[in-house]
Amino acid sequence: SFGFDVSANGTFGKGYLRSDELTKNRSSLTDYDNHLTDRMDDAIYSLNTNLYYDVNDRNKLALNLNYYHLYKDEHIDGQTAITGNPMPDITKTLTRHETIQRDDEWNASLNYTRMFGEEARHKLLVMADLSASRYPVKDYLSYDNYDTADQLLSQEDYYYLNKNPYTIASTEIRSQWNWQKGGSLMAGAKFSHSEKKNDFTGQTLLQDAWQDMTERNYKLNYKEDLQATYLKYECSQKTWDMTAGIRAEYNKASAEGYDFSYHHFDLFPSVYFSYHPVD
């Protein structure tokens, strides 16, 4: 048999905000009177689907696909009046700031289940997952500075681009044996790889040409691998319950371009026991 479902949703908005702020600097007797208007347009929507296929009574497949999208465009326009004693050289600053964010995320998950043994009491589960995201953020900033005669003294223009993509891939194999009187035993193994990047670039406008701000730019590429195995036993009787298990993990991580790397092996044993007398 085959089945599926599809769902989608989204929100779209337009926002407007006005903010008045007065900041005083007591050490230099300087006042900053800020008036800002903030307008933000955004769109968020997602699409999700689930596919099911039962090969027979003992073998089943399930697939989930999901896509998420976010887009935000924010504009901030402001004026700052500067007064003080002594009077500063810059008495007014006009500010323009635009931030554009776009986030695209993809997720896929595949599950295979096989029932085996007498009366299909035991189960084998195989899972595979993949997640990825692309999340660039762009910032445009501009400052126009004026003197007491309302003459333009200087202009500052900046552009920042920050990229934050990530990828996570994992797979897990799990088998569970269930006995009517002897409890259940579960054994499994999991493998995963994740990668996270952070690429920041800054530029400033000098003599009508954009120039890199090398002192602020950086790149980071972080990678991590995980291998784990686990074993768990559960048993429930009339007057007591017990759960015992152990998990072993090996983790390795590094960051390209930085003096950073580590790897370690850990064991996590656990035992739980409860006793409940019969009335």
Side-chain angles (χ1 to χ4, degrees), residues 56-271:
N56 50 46
D57 293 340
R58 292 181 174 240
N59 295 274
K60 299 181 180 181
L61 282 169
L63 175 64
N64 171 261
L65 300 174
N66 180 270
Y67 172 69
Y68 170 85
H69 174 81
L70 176 145
Y71 180 83
K72 185 177 78 169
D73 187 356
E74 183 175 11
H75 295 260
I76 299 176
D77 296 294
Q79 176 176 310
T80 302
I82 307 171
T83 57
N85 185 18
M87 182 64 69
D89 294 334
I90 298 175
T91 58
K92 184 177 67 174
T93 298
L94 299 182
T95 304
R96 293 178 298 277
H97 182 191
E98 181 181 9
T99 299
I100 299 177
Q101 300 182 34
R102 174 167 181 164
D103 184 15
D104 293 287
E105 298 182 12
W106 303 267
N107 299 278
S109 178
L110 177 65
N111 293 350
Y112 167 69
T113 304
R114 174 175 172 78
M115 312 300 293
F116 63 95
E118 184 180 356
E119 298 179 355
R121 188 177 296 125
H122 312 311
K123 180 170 66 175
L124 174 67
L125 180 63
V126 180
M127 298 175 287
D129 298 281
L130 177 63
S131 299
S133 172
R134 299 294 178 265
Y135 188 20
V137 178
K138 300 178 181 179
D139 284 291
Y140 303 89
L141 300 98
S142 178
Y143 305 95
D144 296 342
N145 302 310
Y146 295 85
D147 60 12
T148 55
D150 209 26
Q151 297 295 316
L152 181 63
L153 288 178
S154 62
Q155 291 179 300
E156 303 172 62
D157 293 277
Y158 303 99
Y159 167 71
Y160 301 123
L161 174 61
N162 194 6
K163 299 178 182 179
N164 296 279
Y166 72 82
T167 304
I168 302 174
S170 65
T171 181
E172 183 174 354
I173 303 173
R174 179 194 307 168
S175 186
Q176 183 170 340
W177 296 267
N178 300 305
W179 299 285
Q180 291 181 342
K181 297 183 179 181
S184 64
L185 177 66
M186 179 189 297
K190 182 176 181 179
F191 310 90
S192 68
H193 172 79
S194 59
E195 187 169 341
K196 168 72 174 178
K197 296 183 179 180
N198 195 337
D199 188 352
F200 181 84
T201 302
Q203 294 182 330
T204 182
L205 187 62
L206 297 175
Q207 298 178 352
D208 297 327
W210 288 101
Q211 298 185 16
D212 286 336
M213 304 170 64
T214 55
E215 71 280 2
R216 296 189 180 183
N217 298 346
Y218 65 87
K219 290 185 178 182
L220 173 66
N221 188 2
Y222 176 81
K223 297 180 180 179
E224 182 174 336
D225 292 285
L226 173 69
Q227 296 88 40
T229 59
Y230 54 88
L231 186 69
K232 183 174 74 170
Y233 175 74
E234 294 181 319
C235 185
S236 179
Q237 299 297 326
K238 187 175 182 180
T239 58
W240 57 270
D241 299 293
M242 184 188 72
T243 301
I246 188 170
R247 181 182 177 93
E249 288 187 0
Y250 176 74
N251 187 276
K252 181 180 180 182
S254 63
E256 295 181 7
Y258 294 83
D259 186 16
F260 169 81
S261 65
Y262 75 91
H263 61 90
H264 59 88
F265 176 79
D266 297 298
L267 284 175
F268 304 96
S270 61
V271 177

Side-chain angles (χ1 to χ4, degrees), residues 36-49:
L36 302 175
T37 58
D38 187 347
R39 179 177 60 84
M40 183 174 64
D41 303 331
D42 58 21
I44 303 174
Y45 56 84
S46 63
L47 178 65
N48 184 81
T49 181

